[in-house]
Amino acid sequence: MAGSVTLTLTATSVAPCDNVTDEMILSISRQAIVNAGPDEAICGTQASYQLSNSSASEYIALTWSTSGDGTFSNSNDINPTYFPGVNDYLNGNVVLTISATSVLPCTLASDEMTLTIIPAVTGTAGPDDNACQGNPFVVSGASASNYSTITWTHNGFGTLTASNTINPTYIPSLTETGPVTLTLKAYSISPCLDSVVDQMVLTIHPLPTATLSGGTTICEGDTAMLQIVFTGTAPWNVTYSNGIAVSTVNNITSNPYQFSVIPPAGTITYTLTALSDAYCSATPAQLSGSATIIVNPAPVTDFTSNIACAADTTYFIATGNYLQNITRMVWDFGDGTFGVYNSAVNPIHVYPAAGTYTVILTVEDTIGCSYTVSHQVEVLPLPHAFFNFSSPNCMGSPTYFTDLSN
């Protein structure tokens, strides 16, 4: 209760003296009372905040102040509008203080509230990406901030696990291929009601396939051509085996792809063991076909010869395990002459002059396989005999002979 009261003091004297009185006026003032209101929150997209829950009484003046760099519409109003400053938004909160001046001798009253500024929600689903048929895909490029909840949805035939996390997993159906749109929606922190939506396109690629073909019959040392037909997206990487060795060919861009092999003698079967294309790796079920190559042994043949003199006979003797299968034998004697036979023959030849000759023997067997071998054959020059002698002077004297042969 405010107002004033008169206080009277009476002193009773000792008789016969008179009593004495005095008085004073006591003024009573009320202490100012203020309430800044409860702490509040606004969205970072809001440019101002209207104070509405503050109250004050028994004051002669009001003043609002801020711990930040914002301004008030009227700092002397009980419920002014506050305009946050740049640093207020950056800091995420600001303390607003209301101060009330009491009637003297009462003291200054104050109260404060914290205004939290919630940053705007952000979210991105990440870049478009690729996946392989039947393989789970974990979203790894998404990000979000200042959100309360996240939800993911899709328009595919598969399922989405952990759809309320930033990195969900999409599991395609077994036969699903093509584009699937994954949609991220991030909701703001209360009391903000805004949200953001972003999408990414996940392209599900079919697993590549490869079919090998090219079985044939060849001779040892010859080349066989194999062919692989692909599906999928170039470039392809393929690994094949002949049961003895494994080979890998990378960055194949042609389809069909043809390549040559030189298998060892025998029956050799080539199969595919691994395959990948630009996006996916195949399973064994995507690898088909084979190429069986029958490699007939080469009719390995050799020959020897004697060392003869010019105009003498040089004898050639063919050797080897396939002589009985020879159907064609060609001797190149190295001097411009040839001998052609329909079976294994040990020919003879007379070289007209001394020298070293390269003799080449080429044979072909009953199945068409051939073999070539060459050797150097030396032909010695004929010796020249010559001598001189001394003429004796007398009967019974010795005669001397000198050998001048070369």
Side-chain angles (χ1 to χ4, degrees), residues 121-189:
V121 61
T122 64
T124 174
D128 296 342
D129 214 330
N130 299 281
C132 297
Q133 179 182 355
N135 293 335
F137 173 80
V138 178
V139 177
S140 59
S143 63
S145 62
N146 309 316
Y147 64 89
S148 59
T149 57
I150 284 178
T151 59
W152 285 88
T153 56
H154 66 91
N155 65 349
F157 299 102
T159 58
L160 198 60
T161 63
S163 60
N164 297 118
T165 66
I166 196 65
N167 300 117
T169 298
Y170 183 73
I171 303 175
S173 66
L174 290 178
T175 59
E176 184 175 14
T177 59
V180 175
T181 300
L182 304 181
T183 302
L184 164 70
K185 188 171 185 179
Y187 296 87
S188 180
I189 300 171

Side-chain angles (χ1 to χ4, degrees), residues 314-337:
T314 300
Y315 297 89
F316 294 93
I317 300 176
T319 60
N321 296 326
Y322 297 92
L323 295 179
Q324 69 276 13
N325 297 327
I326 299 301
T327 60
R328 181 178 172 82
M329 177 177 279
V330 179
W331 291 86
D332 178 354
F333 295 110
D335 60 353
T337 62

Side-chain angles (χ1 to χ4, degrees), residues 71-102:
T71 59
F72 293 93
S73 59
N74 187 339
S75 62
N76 301 124
D77 283 351
I78 185 69
N79 284 302
T81 299
Y82 182 69
F83 299 91
V86 174
N87 291 329
D88 294 342
Y89 287 107
L90 293 175
N91 294 331
N93 60 73
V94 62
V95 176
L96 305 181
T97 301
I98 184 173
S99 300
T101 302
S102 302

